Amino acid sequence: MSGTSEGPTPAADLDRSAVTVSDITASTRRGAAGDADGGPPAYRSVFAAAPLAMAVVDRRGLVTDANEALGGLLCGLPGGGSAGLVGRSAADLLDLASDTRTWHAYREVLRGRRAELRCTRRLKRPDGRPLWVQVAVAPLDGGTGGVLLSVTDVSGHRELQDRLRHLEMHDPVTLLPNRTLFFERVTGALETESFEQGGTGRIGLCYLDLDGFRAVNDTLGHRVGDQLLAAVAERLTACAEEAGRTRPGVPLVARLGGDEFALLVEDSTGTEQLADLAESALKALQAPFDLSGQRLNVSASIGVVERHAAGTTATGLMQAADTTLYWAKVDGKDRWTLFDPERNAHLMTRQTLASTLRPAIERGEFRLDYQPLVGMSDGRLRGVEALVRWDHPRFGLLPPNRFVALAEEDGSIVPLGRWVLATACRQARAWQLARPDDPPLFVSVNVAVRQVWDSDLVADVAEILAETGLAPSLLQLELTESAVMGSAGRPLQALQSLSDMGVNIAIDDFGTGYSNLAYLSRLPVSVLKLDGSFVRGFQYEGTGAPPNPADEVVVEAMIALAHRLGLTVTAECVETSAQAGRLRRIGCDTGQGWLYSRPVPPDRISELMAGASYAVGNP
């Protein structure tokens, strides 16, 4: 068989070859046309001796003449040999009907409606090796209706391209498909034509990351690290091959970079298949690796995604896999985790809220509700706790637990806290001015520890009290127990300055954190707010459940100790009159909870101030 030259060809030689082939083709087309018109067959000597494989094809698509170069090229193929080619269908010989576009263009050339056709075809030799040929089809001169067909063997060039592509598309360390080839396969699997031609129409992905691989590189060197990656690749490949024996199709194993691997399952059958594959991958990596005299134990975390191919993009699939891999790491490593749309939606919502917090403060999207603080002895309204809400334009009214932690993380708690403090003080002063003959209500405002560190809280409080005219004794600042206990340096100085100013300091959720009672005596604290978990242990009305004696003993002891230290005590989460009665009997000062009122807007507090005392409480 003829083939392309393996050696390098100078540019001038390539140009001369192109001219020679062009001249031969043009001469043959004119000569063949002249012969058809009765002219002398002068072209035949050129046609027969030409190194370019050629054939004359009539308008029916049948070979009427072929030269020895074509016969030699197709030798051993069906219809091989120049004599055996005559009368054969050129489309069958060169596989021109295997795709619709090429077949249509070829027929257009035969009918004289198209000037030429150029295409590359893959034929098969008797030994199974591919024969790549470049085919050119052009009409003959003279209007005979026939065409001249020329064929060039480009197998050598194609094999070189394939070798270069293989190097380009495979990882040199593990010999696995690399990130480029992986995404090419993913993109191809997600094309509409791929899943509409049959199969399950689903796609699955196991995204794997080795736990602690960096330590191997840092302590044993990159050579051992590369050996480990290659060994991991072998085990994952064995897992994929084993999976292919039980279900149609072998998963594609790829190295995406670093210590990240992927197992792609096209036409997956569901999450069970992906879960089995992830489980087998984890088990395969549990056995120790013996490398260069070192025995290494590694584990992996795997994010698993399985979904319909329709509507999925390669980017979306990888984002889901990356998020799920992160969950697997957070959940404890050495495990696989399945993508959870609800968990992802929560994460996306959290990211959206975090990115819009500061602009929301500037746009005035926050508001304050107030929950009454009621005297346990007489049932009268003593004060209120200010609770911030975010009136989000997309997600509706959000409670503090949806955004306060985010605000603390990015520092926006400082401007938000300043706004809450100013708004609450202004409102407390407005209530006082509206009912000058009644005892004024104090307002309790939550303060994050970051507000103490990242701003001058003392100066802010002093400025706000001066602007609003609210007396310092009517302001209570609440800090969590974990933030207050163990305070030293600037936080302790700030709390002491605020206390000296006359502001009350309360420890929120007391009893759930450090509970360092000895340290408590040295803090400028005036109020303890007992965590609601203690109150829930008291008997509920109508449930028939007995009270927890230990809870009552603990609460009574804390109240007694607080009173000995000169502190008042507020009980949170008071929901029944039975709880309120027991708290009153053991000396609790004030209560807060749904028994008295849920958090309400400011105008509702005004109504409560004008009403009777909470003798038994109204939910």
Side-chain angles (χ1 to χ4, degrees):
M1 288 189 183
S2 62
T4 57
S5 172
E6 294 296 331
T9 302
D13 291 344
L14 285 174
D15 292 341
R16 286 194 295 273
S17 297
V19 171
T20 302
V21 169
S22 177
D23 292 344
I24 292 171
T25 304
S27 174
T28 303
R29 288 170 60 188
R30 290 192 300 270
D35 183 59
D37 293 336
Y43 81 96
R44 281 200 166 275
S45 58
V46 178
F47 183 77
L52 182 63
M54 294 183 290
V56 177
V57 180
D58 64 20
R59 67 182 62 195
R60 297 172 299 170
L62 302 178
V63 176
T64 60
D65 201 356
N67 67 358
E68 290 303 319
L70 184 61
L73 181 63
L74 300 182
C75 180
L77 298 179
S82 59
L85 297 178
V86 176
R88 304 278 299 188
S89 167
D92 292 342
L93 289 171
L94 298 173
D95 194 30
L96 299 179
S98 59
D99 69 85
T100 305
R101 180 178 299 178
T102 301
W103 175 236
H104 175 74
Y106 174 62
R107 287 186 299 173
E108 290 294 286
V109 176
L110 287 179
R111 295 167 181 167
R113 300 174 183 172
R114 182 183 175 113
E116 65 175 352
L117 164 66
R118 293 182 181 273
C119 63
T120 301
R121 315 309 293 168
R122 183 182 187 275
L123 309 178
K124 185 178 290 187
R125 294 183 174 97
D127 61 4
R129 290 184 302 117
L131 171 65
W132 289 93
V133 295
Q134 195 171 69
V135 180
V137 185
L140 289 167
D141 294 338
T144 62
V147 299
L148 179 66
L149 182 146
S150 60
V151 184
T152 305
D153 183 358
V154 294
S155 299
H157 179 66
R158 187 70 183 225
E159 289 172 3
L160 177 60
Q161 283 185 322
D162 290 344
R163 287 196 296 270
L164 292 175
R165 174 177 167 77
H166 186 275
L167 292 174
E168 180 186 358
M169 296 292 186
H170 287 76
D171 171 53
V173 174
T174 63
L175 305 182
L176 292 176
N178 62 13
R179 190 179 191 89
T180 302
L181 181 54
F182 170 78
F183 273 99
E184 186 177 286
R185 284 283 297 271
V186 171
T187 302
L190 295 176
E191 290 179 352
T192 305
E193 295 81 3
S194 298
F195 54 80
E196 283 188 349
Q197 292 175 354
T200 63
R202 302 185 68 84
I203 190 169
L205 176 63
C206 292
Y207 188 26
L208 180 147
D209 176 272
L210 298 180
D211 300 325
F213 176 74
R214 179 178 294 181
V216 175
N217 270 344
D218 292 345
T219 57
L220 301 178
H222 288 274
R223 185 177 64 85
V224 176
D226 287 349
Q227 291 176 352
L228 176 59
L229 292 174
V232 168
E234 290 180 3
R235 295 192 185 181
L236 294 179
T237 301
C239 288
E241 292 173 349
E242 179 63 28
R245 283 191 280 270
T246 58
R247 288 185 172 94
V250 178
L252 172 73
V253 183
R255 182 190 176 198
L256 302 188
D259 59 337
E260 298 174 357
F261 296 83
L263 292 91
L264 177 67
V265 180
E266 302 175 50
D267 286 327
S268 62
T269 57
T271 56
E272 182 179 352
Q273 179 187 8
L274 271 296
D276 290 344
L277 181 60
E279 191 66 38
S280 66
L282 289 179
K283 289 181 180 178
L285 299 179
Q286 288 175 353
F289 292 85
D290 293 315
L291 306 170
S292 299
Q294 300 281 347
R295 171 160 285 200
L296 302 178
N297 289 283
V298 299
S299 61
S301 301
I302 304 177
V304 178
V305 182
E306 202 281 337
R307 57 178 53 170
H308 285 288
T312 297
T313 64
T315 301
L317 185 69
M318 286 307 300
Q319 285 177 341
D322 187 59
T323 298
T324 313
L325 174 60
Y326 170 76
W327 294 343
K329 293 280 190 183
V330 171
D331 292 345
K333 303 181 180 180
D334 192 19
R335 68 187 62 218
W336 62 269
T337 300
L338 184 65
F339 180 75
D340 181 357
E342 291 187 5
R343 185 174 181 179
N344 186 63
H346 176 74
L347 177 64
M348 296 300 292
T349 301
R350 190 176 190 274
Q351 292 173 339
T352 300
L353 294 178
S355 64
T356 56
L357 254 171
R358 288 183 181 273
I361 299 172
E362 298 172 1
R363 290 192 298 265
E365 293 179 2
F366 292 89
R367 79 176 207 200
L368 293 185
D369 283 345
Y370 300 87
Q371 188 170 29
L373 294 161
V374 177
M376 301 297 294
S377 60
D378 56 10
R380 297 200 63 85
L381 184 63
R382 301 286 182 82
V384 293
E385 179 181 354
L387 298 168
V388 63
R389 276 87 170 92
W390 185 355
D391 193 2
H392 196 280
R394 176 180 172 188
F395 301 114
L397 195 63
L398 301 177
N401 60 4
R402 293 289 302 277
F403 59 86
V404 167
L406 297 176
E408 291 179 355
E409 289 176 10
D410 71 358
S412 58
I413 191 66
V414 173
L416 177 60
R418 187 180 296 116
W419 176 86
V420 170
L421 184 63
T423 304
C425 290
R426 192 176 301 112
Q427 182 60 65
R429 179 59 174 162
W431 284 323
Q432 184 181 13
L433 294 175
R435 301 184 66 84
D437 296 332
D438 293 345
L441 298 180
F442 71 87
V443 63
S444 189
V445 178
N446 291 279
V447 175
V449 69
R450 188 162 182 175
Q451 290 177 253
V452 182
W453 282 106
D454 293 1
S455 68
D456 191 343
L457 182 62
V458 177
D460 287 344
V461 170
E463 180 181 350
I464 290 170
L465 291 177
E467 288 179 355
T468 59
L470 187 70
S473 60
L474 296 179
L475 175 62
Q476 176 175 290
L477 300 181
E478 296 186 21
L479 291 89
T480 61
E481 180 181 352
S482 58
V484 175
M485 292 299 184
S487 294
R490 182 174 179 179
L492 182 58
Q493 293 172 8
L495 295 180
Q496 188 62 59
S497 297
L498 290 168
S499 180
D500 293 344
M501 191 187 300
V503 175
N504 294 304
I505 306 298
I507 298 180
D508 194 16
D509 300 329
F510 186 78
T512 61
Y514 295 95
S515 299
N516 189 336
L517 299 179
Y519 192 78
L520 180 63
S521 64
R522 298 192 291 272
L523 289 173
V525 173
S526 54
V527 180
L528 295 184
K529 295 190 71 176
L530 296 181
D531 184 71
S533 60
F534 294 106
V535 178
R536 294 189 189 99
F538 288 10
Q539 184 179 12
Y540 281 80
E541 287 180 337
T543 64
N548 186 338
D551 281 343
E552 186 168 337
V553 170
V554 170
V555 171
E556 186 173 5
M558 286 194 293
I559 292 173
L561 177 61
H563 288 168
R564 292 289 298 273
L565 294 173
L567 310 177
T568 61
V569 179
T570 298
E572 298 179 301
C573 301
V574 181
E575 298 183 359
T576 70
S577 57
Q579 292 172 325
R582 299 181 75 83
L583 287 167
R584 187 184 308 112
R585 283 195 296 273
I586 59 179
C588 188
D589 300 292
T590 55
Q592 176 182 2
W594 287 3
L595 172 66
Y596 308 111
S597 174
R598 296 172 183 264
V600 293
D603 55 353
R604 178 58 180 151
I605 296 296
S606 299
E607 295 174 5
L608 294 176
M609 292 175 67
S613 64
Y614 290 93
V616 292
N618 295 304

